[in-house]
Amino acid sequence: MQFAPFSFDRKALAFTLLAAVCAQPALALVSFEEVKRDFRSSDTAVLDRNGELLQRVRTDPTVRRGQWTPLADVSPALRTAMVLSEDKRFYEHSGIDWRAVSAAAWGNLWNTRTRGASTITMQLSGLLDDDLRRASGGRSFTQKIGQTVAAAQLERNWRKDQILEAYLNTVPFRGEIVGIDALSRTLFGKAPSGLDAREAAVASALVRAPNAKPALVAQRACDVLRTMEPQQKVDCEALDMFTSAAVQRRAFEPNEGIAPHAARRVLRELRDAKDTKVEAGVRTTLRAPLQRFALDTLQRHLRELRDRHVEDGALVVLDNATGEVLAWVGSSGPLSQAAEVDGVTALRQPGSTLKPLLYGQAIAERRITAASLIEDSSAQISTASGLYIPQNYDRRFKGPVSARTALAASLNVPAVRTLVMVSPEAFARELRAAGLPLRESGDYYGYSLALGSAEVSLLSLTNAYRMLANGGRYGTTTLTARPASAASAAANKARAAEPPLLDAGAAFIVGDILSDPNARTRTFGLDSILSTRFWTAVKTGTSKDMRDNWAVGWSQRYTVGVWVGNASGASMWDVSGTSGAAPVWAEVMRFLHAREPSRAPAPPPGVVQAHVEFGPGADGGALEAARDEWFLQGTEQPLFALDTGMAGSAASARITAPSDGTIIAVDPDIPPLRQRVRFESEGRGVQWRIDGKHFARGNSAQWLPWPGRHVIELVDSTGKVVDQRRIEVRGAGVVTKSARR
């Protein structure tokens, strides 16, 4: 039997589909501007204060999407390859390629393989509308009709260049990769503008089958390349090798840039502030050129210290006036085995860097002056847990020295003697007020607190030094750039009206000491890395067992803090105060002031300068050279000697033991008369009172403890109370009245 050939009317098919399209209700149309505005990268770009990119941080783990790329920034080769591969008549049709539709229908009728009829515009409509999105089993007939209607609407309201631009930015390519920017940077390690014909052919081939095997992608890419370059001989075997390598690349790292720790910090602050609308670009207070220089300088210096078992470091730069963070280097990056640890916020022992805050408090409380003589000699200080015997860094003693010399030369024993005057608990309260996160009470740390036994972060320590730079006024730091508002201006004005945390005069004197190169010569010599050509005040510190090394200091405008060590806590080898963190600090300071002067601050009201001389030492010569010294008004005096200086006078008499808040337990197994508490003091002509009643005379006394809370007072010859301690005795041992006497 012979059949008449089947007749297929393409015009009738087109008419049928057109009628179906017209019968569909109008869909809600989204504009090109809305699509572009709502586009969200899977990364958040963290920018410096001027909009320069510092770091990209992956914030959407479900997809890999780069930045929106304008069509003008897409290489011509890629635009050509995409149109030839996906929609040859893209610039001719109005959203629906009727010739392709009829060809596809004819092929489906006779069960032959043909290319689909979906145009770029139709594909884009499916990407923009979740209801039209292709499922794993393909689109339903209703979805296809809706997609056709949406494509026709897009063509009526969008330009061709807008359609192609939106398509390139939203089309899935491979795996989690969406959009041409993510594809270009991930597979080819370059921006979309730099793609050549071979790379463009591979990219367009991935659209058809995003997760196909590399061989199939290469075969399709070869066909596209032949169409693009009909006059050229295409080496498909070489293209196959190139494609296999490209689809396995992951050049586009999840986090990339020069400020990873600062970026994570600022994004965490935004999340904690319930700011759910985190823009694609978050502006910080950092300066990109400074951040880059600080990172390079730290890494270069740590490479030089590698043979001394040093691999980690951190650095932070603060603006004195605003508290803005200008540089934040959290680690040494590839040099570290713990690069994810943020050394700016990690808690470490600060060593001698707490001494300026201690001396500042002692000066503010008028316990000492910068010229007061403090004994640098072997000391055995009684504590509740036994004797505390501090040592200097070089294990040598200098004898009587002025407070200026003791602080500038970083002598340990005078610092401990100064803490005895202030008391650990009072010093701990001052440190907490300055923003240092002490976990325990002052009495827990005891007198070792003077030498940095508590753990602090580089950020909090640097900000405490910024408080000294600002005349004793404490302020918080900020990393997120926010526009100045009337409310924030009012808050700053109110903060400025508050009394300073530390007396401005004491802060000024501490800064003057730390800027004095002559005062630090006993430890650091005349030609020290700490001396700069412009005005700066700086202090170094090294923690126990040489685990941490610090250099923190300020200029007229900036405060810089540097830490070097090992994130693991391992000890360094032969790293001193001037070979560890100090060289990095000095280089960053020089960079900051390359074109900006730094002048010494003017003395605040209440500070006077007076000429002082020092009495003879053991060798008969003057203890220190005569000089002009700064004093809080009313504390100045012309001569400081072992028998007349404030350190040995009744005016500076202080209780050295017990410490404030001491708790004493009476042991019922020891005879009461054998349990005595020893009182120790400094100064001449002093007397002891317990609970307001006279007890003994002289610098030492022994007291039989009685359960309860007691106030111990030290009074001078005039009966004036010069120091006091509060202690508590616990235990119910039976003590007779005669024994108590």
Side-chain angles (χ1 to χ4, degrees):
M1 178 181 251
Q2 193 171 12
F3 293 95
F6 181 80
S7 175
F8 186 81
D9 191 340
R10 295 188 179 188
K11 291 185 178 180
L13 173 63
F15 179 79
T16 302
L17 288 174
L18 180 62
V21 169
C22 296
Q24 286 291 316
L27 300 176
L29 182 66
V30 64
S31 69
F32 172 77
E33 288 73 21
E34 289 175 314
V35 172
K36 186 175 180 179
R37 183 196 64 206
D38 294 340
F39 180 86
R40 287 288 179 270
S41 171
S42 60
D43 307 325
T44 296
V46 178
L47 313 174
D48 85 335
R49 63 198 307 115
N50 297 314
E52 184 175 342
L53 179 65
L54 290 170
Q55 189 79 26
R56 287 186 301 99
V57 180
R58 180 78 174 267
T59 49
D60 185 351
T62 63
V63 72
R64 194 76 177 103
R65 189 184 291 115
Q67 302 299 315
W68 182 276
T69 305
L71 190 61
D73 293 339
V74 177
S75 73
L78 180 60
R79 283 180 271 169
T80 301
M82 199 64 68
V83 170
L84 289 175
S85 174
E86 292 302 305
D87 191 354
K88 293 180 180 179
R89 286 176 287 276
F90 172 70
Y91 291 103
E92 302 172 16
H93 62 66
S94 298
I96 307 166
D97 187 350
W98 296 109
R99 290 168 57 185
V101 169
S102 58
W106 182 264
N108 290 336
L109 181 65
W110 293 104
N111 198 27
T112 59
R113 292 174 59 85
T114 67
R115 182 192 176 283
S118 180
T119 64
I120 286 178
T121 313
M122 293 172 68
Q123 292 181 52
L124 177 61
S125 65
L127 295 172
L128 299 182
D129 191 336
D130 290 338
D131 292 337
L132 302 179
R133 194 173 295 274
R134 180 186 178 90
S136 58
R139 289 187 177 89
S140 65
F141 179 75
T142 303
Q143 282 182 310
K144 291 179 180 179
I145 294 299
Q147 186 183 26
T148 306
V149 173
Q153 289 180 325
L154 279 175
E155 290 279 352
R156 283 196 299 269
N157 293 276
W158 288 27
R159 301 191 309 269
K160 286 287 187 181
D161 63 315
Q162 292 176 329
I163 293 172
L164 185 57
E165 180 177 321
Y167 176 73
L168 290 173
N169 280 284
T170 57
V171 66
F173 281 97
R174 188 172 186 82
E176 62 177 1
I177 302 173
V178 173
I180 192 58
D181 185 58
L183 175 82
S184 301
R185 297 183 187 277
T186 302
L187 267 59
F188 308 117
K190 59 174 68 173
S193 59
L195 297 183
D196 58 24
R198 182 175 60 171
E199 293 162 339
V202 173
S204 62
L206 286 170
V207 173
R208 192 83 59 84
N211 297 311
K213 294 182 178 180
L216 180 57
V217 176
Q219 179 184 339
R220 289 173 174 167
C222 191
D223 294 338
V224 174
L225 195 56
R226 283 173 176 156
T227 306
M228 292 173 62
E229 301 175 344
Q231 307 300 325
Q232 303 289 333
K233 183 179 180 180
V234 178
D235 187 346
C236 291
E237 186 175 342
L239 184 60
D240 181 70
M241 295 176 61
F242 172 78
T243 304
S244 297
V247 296
Q248 297 178 42
R249 282 193 66 187
R250 289 296 180 269
F252 196 36
E253 295 296 333
N255 299 298
E256 182 179 65
I258 59 174
H261 302 89
R264 287 197 289 268
R265 170 85 173 205
V266 74
L267 292 176
R268 187 165 60 250
E269 286 179 356
L270 290 174
R271 287 195 297 269
D272 292 344
K274 303 285 190 278
D275 192 348
T276 55
K277 188 181 179 183
V278 177
E279 299 295 335
V282 175
R283 190 162 296 204
T284 67
T285 59
L286 301 180
R287 294 181 184 173
L290 174 61
Q291 177 75 13
R292 198 171 293 111
F293 178 84
L295 177 60
D296 292 344
T297 301
L298 182 65
Q299 290 179 340
R300 172 167 46 80
H301 185 63
L302 288 176
R303 289 188 184 96
E304 296 172 0
L305 293 176
R306 186 174 294 174
D307 61 346
R308 301 191 191 184
H309 198 230
V310 184
E311 68 175 28
D312 290 300
L315 184 151
V316 67
V317 180
L318 303 178
D319 184 292
N320 289 343
T322 64
E324 292 178 337
V325 181
L326 305 180
W328 181 306
V329 180
S331 79
S332 57
L335 304 179
S336 172
Q337 297 184 30
E340 294 300 308
V341 176
D342 190 349
V344 174
T345 57
L347 298 179
R348 304 276 179 182
Q349 287 190 339
S352 294
T353 55
L354 293 186
K355 290 176 183 175
L357 302 169
L358 170 61
Y359 279 90
Q361 184 175 353
I363 292 172
E365 294 176 357
R366 300 180 176 237
R367 298 179 182 275
I368 62 171
T369 72
S372 295
L373 294 174
I374 307 175
E375 186 70 28
D376 180 28
S377 60
S378 179
Q380 297 184 4
I381 301 173
S382 298
T383 69
S385 58
L387 291 178
Y388 177 58
I389 307 175
Q391 295 286 336
N392 284 327
Y393 182 78
D394 59 2
R395 297 191 178 275
R396 297 179 181 178
F397 300 107
K398 309 298 189 295
V401 295
S402 68
R404 174 176 288 271
T405 299
L407 173 56
S410 197
L411 302 178
N412 286 345
V413 177
V416 174
R417 293 186 188 277
T418 302
L419 182 56
V420 169
M421 303 179 201
V422 172
S423 87
E425 187 56 40
F427 183 42
R429 287 195 298 269
E430 193 79 1
L431 293 178
R432 288 194 190 92
L436 298 176
L438 270 62
R439 294 175 171 175
E440 308 291 345
S441 68
D443 290 333
Y444 173 87
Y445 300 110
Y447 295 113
S448 66
L449 186 58
L451 309 183
S453 59
E455 292 185 331
V456 302
S457 69
L458 177 62
L459 180 63
S460 63
L461 180 62
T462 306
N463 193 43
Y465 272 58
R466 173 177 159 258
M467 179 267 293
L468 294 173
N470 287 332
R473 294 190 179 276
Y474 174 79
T476 57
T477 61
T478 179
L479 184 59
T480 306
R482 299 187 184 277
S485 64
S488 62
N492 290 334
K493 187 175 181 181
R495 206 161 31 239
E498 295 176 358
L501 176 64
L502 180 68
D503 180 84
F508 168 83
I509 293 172
V510 168
D512 187 73
I513 293 173
L514 297 182
S515 67
D516 186 352
N518 294 322
R520 67 171 74 104
T521 54
R522 291 202 182 189
T523 298
F524 299 99
L526 290 171
D527 187 20
S528 170
I529 190 71
L530 303 176
S531 299
T532 56
R533 294 180 179 272
F534 45 90
W535 187 90
T536 53
V538 60
K539 184 74 185 69
T540 62
T542 304
S543 67
K544 184 180 178 182
D545 297 329
M546 209 172 288
R547 298 178 186 276
D548 310 277
N549 187 256
W550 310 72
V552 190
W554 69 93
S555 63
Q556 184 178 9
R557 183 173 176 185
Y558 308 104
T559 302
V560 179
V562 182
W563 166 83
V564 299
N566 294 294
S568 64
S571 297
M572 300 173 284
W573 301 338
D574 192 27
V575 176
S576 67
T578 54
S579 65
V584 179
W585 177 89
E587 282 200 49
V588 171
M589 270 297 185
R590 284 196 293 270
F591 179 85
L592 289 166
H593 289 285
R595 296 179 180 83
E596 189 174 352
S598 177
R599 299 181 178 88
V607 173
V608 296
Q609 193 172 40
H611 185 77
V612 297
E613 294 183 357
F614 295 88
D619 58 358
L623 290 169
E624 293 190 12
R627 62 174 180 259
D628 290 336
E629 186 58 271
W630 294 104
F631 296 90
L632 297 183
Q633 194 165 24
T635 64
E636 66 271 23
Q637 63 185 65
L639 177 65
F640 287 82
L642 292 180
D643 57 347
T644 61
M646 287 181 66
S649 69
S652 63
R654 294 293 178 263
I655 297 174
T656 59
S659 59
D660 193 43
T662 296
I663 298 176
I664 300 166
V666 175
D667 192 333
D669 295 328
I670 299 176
L673 294 176
R674 300 286 183 104
Q675 301 188 57
R676 300 277 180 168
V677 177
R678 188 175 181 84
F679 296 165
E680 298 285 349
S681 70
E682 293 180 349
R684 299 192 314 276
V686 294
Q687 303 176 44
W688 297 92
R689 289 199 312 213
I690 300 178
D691 299 330
K693 296 179 180 180
H694 174 78
F695 172 66
R697 297 178 183 272
N699 292 109
S700 65
Q702 291 192 7
W703 174 64
L704 186 65
W706 181 252
R709 294 176 179 174
H710 307 279
V711 177
I712 304 168
E713 296 174 320
L714 190 68
V715 298
D716 60 17
S717 57
T718 65
K720 178 183 177 182
V721 176
V722 293
D723 201 4
Q724 71 173 16
R725 295 287 186 270
R726 295 180 182 275
I727 66 172
E728 181 179 352
V729 179
R730 296 178 180 176
V734 177
V735 182
T736 65
K737 277 190 174 183
S738 59
R740 279 196 288 153
R741 292 195 189 98

